[in-house]
Amino acid sequence: MLKPAMGLGNLLPLLYLPFAFAQSLTQGLESPTGYVPCDALISAGFRDRILTASSPEYESRIQSWWSANTRYHPWCLFQPQTTREVSLAISTLAKAGEGAGDWHIAIRSGGHGWPGSNNVVKGVTIDLGHMNNSWYDDGKKVASLEPGAKWRDIYAKLLEKYNITVTGGRDGDVGVGGFLLGGGISYYTGTNGFGCDVVVNYELVLANGTIANANATHNVNLFKALKGGGPNFGIVTRFDVEAMPAVDLAYGQILTSMEHSDDVVQSLIAFTEKVEERPHDHMFVLYEHSPDINGSIILSVTTNTQGNMNTTSFDGFRSIPALSSSWESTSLAAAANASQVTSGYSSASATLTLHLTPSLLAYATTLHTRLTTRLTQLLGPTAFLASTIFQPMPTLYSTISPQKGGSMLPPFRTNSIMWTGGVGVTGGGDAALAIAEAELLSTTQRLEVRAREEGALEQLVYLNYAHPGQDALGSYGAETVKFMKGVAGSVDPGAFWQERVPGGFKLGRVV
């Protein structure tokens, strides 16, 4: 026998339940937003820290995300200014999220990253941009950096005020937080290790709102897990890092035509093989196709961190006919400004780490040409950007980390090259980006298959450059993943960071 359909009178009590919950949060508010988590933050006293879509500053802040396809419009932006504000906000949001619908939280540091990693559509984005201070303790020789600062500003302030510098990002527009949590490749990696290796203390807010510190003597396992472990353990509100006297760099850029690609690759291999002998020298090579170039060009960025203008490490590159070349003494702050990557395009990237095999690197350059040819056919010659970056990854880099307590990044078995492919579109919206991204991933797959066939694929999929479909954390190895999951479980037993804050590479998705 069929039960009678539920009438409106029977349905009203059920409809009233979520309304009553929302009403309890908005009671006493002069202008509730109607969004449960946003109103919860306002009830906690954060009205002047909240931006909604109708706020005058909201849209300009959304446009500050680096890539156009990451410029989501959350229900509200929460912009804390202190660690205590972050703590109270997390406690508040955790309570507001008990049984409350399909919404999530995102954490934004500098605004770089793939779609969904640091912004959200349905929910709250915690925007750390106002937590952008830095200062220096001369007695400890330690600089303290807040997560929302950009590296160009960090370098400039530390230089001007204290005449010191730190191991940080090469692109001045990148934020402190994501860079250090993912590892961090620096001009100083040959002498100081990855950016995470110079962190001596993390101040962070845990899932229950507790403010904790992790260092070599306190919360030791958490300290190690944060070094490359990504956004899995809490919101880091301060990084205390080793500092050093500021010295002007010897810095240059060499622009070469594609006809000299083989010579560039040979010089890149020769440089990588000699890094251990000259650890103060650092470089990377960028193959770039952009709308204002008829085809592709090759840019080699060269640096000596001691300011040695007479280093011979880059002689191989200088012997190649150049379209333009520079070599000058400059501050790290100025070099970071010169290395900023153009923003505003919808973009995607992927990465692999390859052994230093000449045939494999030559194949990677061929794939770059194949990719640009294919995208020219599909989108037109001026509708896209495409890049291939070769970053030396010598075994030297792996020997520094253990001396400083170790990190999550796996060691390199042999001198290697980190390959990173990127695409961007200048128009055509989501459809054009979907085409460009599909072609990039096809390129990545071809290169990975060839590397596996040659036994030349290194373990690391670098988190800061990886595509969201790549298993960056899983590339660290089963034992490392087990360790990180154990740490995450101890500081976040309710899996708050895995479920309520799903963006970024999360341990909960690693098999």
Side-chain angles (χ1 to χ4, degrees):
M1 180 178 177
L2 295 176
K3 294 182 179 181
M6 181 177 285
L8 182 59
N10 295 325
L11 190 59
L12 280 175
L14 299 179
L15 292 173
Y16 180 73
L17 288 175
F19 174 76
F21 176 67
Q23 189 178 49
S24 69
L25 291 176
T26 60
Q27 201 165 24
L29 295 183
E30 292 182 5
S31 302
T33 67
Y35 296 116
V36 168
C38 304
D39 286 335
L41 290 171
I42 293 174
S43 293
F46 289 127
R47 177 173 292 281
D48 62 349
R49 299 286 190 263
I50 297 291
L51 298 180
T52 65
S54 58
S55 302
E57 305 91 344
Y58 177 89
E59 187 57 32
S60 62
R61 190 58 183 163
I62 297 301
Q63 295 303 313
S64 71
W65 264 259
W66 180 76
S67 184
N69 53 318
T70 63
R71 294 171 183 169
Y72 296 167
H73 290 73
W75 292 346
C76 61
L77 294 168
F78 169 61
Q79 300 182 307
Q81 297 186 9
T82 68
T83 299
R84 291 193 176 278
E85 290 184 355
V86 174
S87 171
L88 178 55
I90 291 300
S91 298
T92 300
L93 290 171
K95 294 174 184 176
E98 292 177 355
D102 179 21
W103 62 268
H104 296 95
I105 303 165
I107 316 295
R108 180 245 172 100
S109 171
H112 284 241
W114 42 265
S117 63
N118 57 14
N119 203 359
V120 68
V121 176
K122 296 183 295 183
V124 178
T125 294
I126 299 177
D127 176 8
L128 300 173
H130 287 298
M131 297 182 66
N132 56 16
N133 292 320
S134 59
W135 57 95
Y136 176 59
D137 186 327
D138 185 49
K140 296 179 180 179
K141 306 301 180 187
V142 167
S144 295
L145 318 176
E146 290 188 320
K150 302 290 185 76
W151 287 108
R152 60 170 178 254
D153 301 320
I154 291 287
Y155 298 143
K157 181 176 179 179
L158 294 180
L159 174 64
E160 180 181 356
K161 194 169 182 179
Y162 308 106
N163 198 34
I164 58 104
T165 195
V166 293
T167 302
R170 299 168 299 186
D171 185 328
D173 190 57
V174 169
V176 168
F179 174 88
L180 290 177
L181 289 174
I185 301 171
S186 166
Y187 293 128
Y188 293 94
T189 297
T191 53
N192 301 346
F194 291 92
C196 64
D197 291 320
V198 303
V199 180
V200 297
N201 180 71
Y202 299 86
E203 177 191 78
L204 72 161
V205 174
L206 302 179
N208 62 2
T210 299
I211 299 172
N213 282 274
N215 50 56
T217 60
H218 189 66
N219 291 318
V220 177
N221 285 343
L222 177 59
F223 177 58
K224 186 173 181 179
L226 285 162
K227 294 187 172 187
N232 284 284
F233 311 100
I235 299 178
V236 178
T237 52
R238 193 187 74 237
F239 298 85
D240 298 327
V241 303
E242 299 170 358
M244 54 192 167
V247 176
D248 281 352
L249 308 175
Y251 176 85
Q253 297 187 357
I254 305 171
L255 202 60
T256 312
S257 65
M258 284 292 289
E259 65 182 295
H260 300 293
S261 176
D262 290 345
D263 294 330
V264 170
V265 169
Q266 290 175 11
S267 297
L268 176 68
I269 292 171
F271 172 85
T272 307
E273 289 176 336
K274 299 282 187 179
V275 168
E276 191 163 358
E277 300 173 19
R278 297 167 181 166
H280 296 283
D281 291 315
H282 182 91
M283 71 159 306
F284 60 92
V285 173
L286 169 67
Y287 284 63
E288 181 179 8
H289 173 105
S290 64
D292 56 350
I293 299 172
N294 184 21
S296 294
I297 50 95
I298 307 171
L299 175 66
S300 302
V301 177
T302 57
T303 311
N304 177 276
T305 57
Q306 291 184 317
N308 179 8
M309 301 294 290
N310 298 314
T311 179
T312 59
S313 292
F314 311 117
D315 285 355
F317 295 92
R318 294 184 183 124
S319 68
I320 303 170
L323 300 173
S324 66
S325 180
S326 65
W327 185 240
E328 59 183 346
S329 178
T330 188
S331 69
L332 178 56
N337 279 330
S339 296
Q340 292 181 97
V341 179
T342 303
S343 64
Y345 301 102
S346 293
S347 60
S349 68
T351 189
L352 299 168
T353 307
L354 313 171
H355 290 177
L356 204 62
T357 306
S359 61
L360 185 59
L361 299 184
Y363 179 61
T365 66
T366 300
L367 287 176
H368 173 84
T369 301
R370 183 183 297 176
L371 174 64
T372 59
T373 300
R374 178 71 172 155
L375 290 180
T376 297
Q377 295 169 346
L378 294 171
L379 301 176
T382 62
F384 71 95
L385 300 88
S387 62
T388 294
I389 303 173
F390 295 114
Q391 170 65 63
M393 285 285 127
T395 55
L396 170 66
Y397 293 178
S398 296
T399 65
I400 297 172
S401 179
Q403 301 169 22
K404 299 188 175 186
S407 74
M408 298 297 95
L409 304 182
F412 304 122
R413 293 173 291 165
T414 183
N415 288 337
S416 301
I417 293 288
M418 183 180 292
W419 170 91
T420 303
V423 291
V425 295
T426 58
D430 293 343
L433 178 61
I435 291 171
E437 186 171 8
E439 293 298 323
L440 170 66
L441 294 180
S442 176
T443 298
T444 306
Q445 181 66 18
R446 287 191 177 97
L447 184 58
E448 182 174 351
V449 168
R450 177 68 67 89
R452 288 187 186 280
E453 290 174 349
E454 297 187 10
L457 184 66
E458 194 64 26
Q459 182 176 338
L460 176 65
V461 176
Y462 183 54
L463 187 152
N464 284 350
Y465 299 162
H467 185 271
Q470 294 184 288
D471 187 8
L473 293 174
S475 77
Y476 294 178
E479 286 302 311
T480 299
V481 169
K482 181 179 178 181
F483 170 78
M484 289 190 293
K485 285 186 174 182
V487 174
S490 68
V491 299
D492 181 19
F496 179 83
W497 301 113
Q498 307 300 315
E499 298 174 6
R500 184 58 73 175
V501 192
F505 290 99
K506 289 298 167 64
L507 288 166
R509 294 193 288 268
V510 180
V511 178

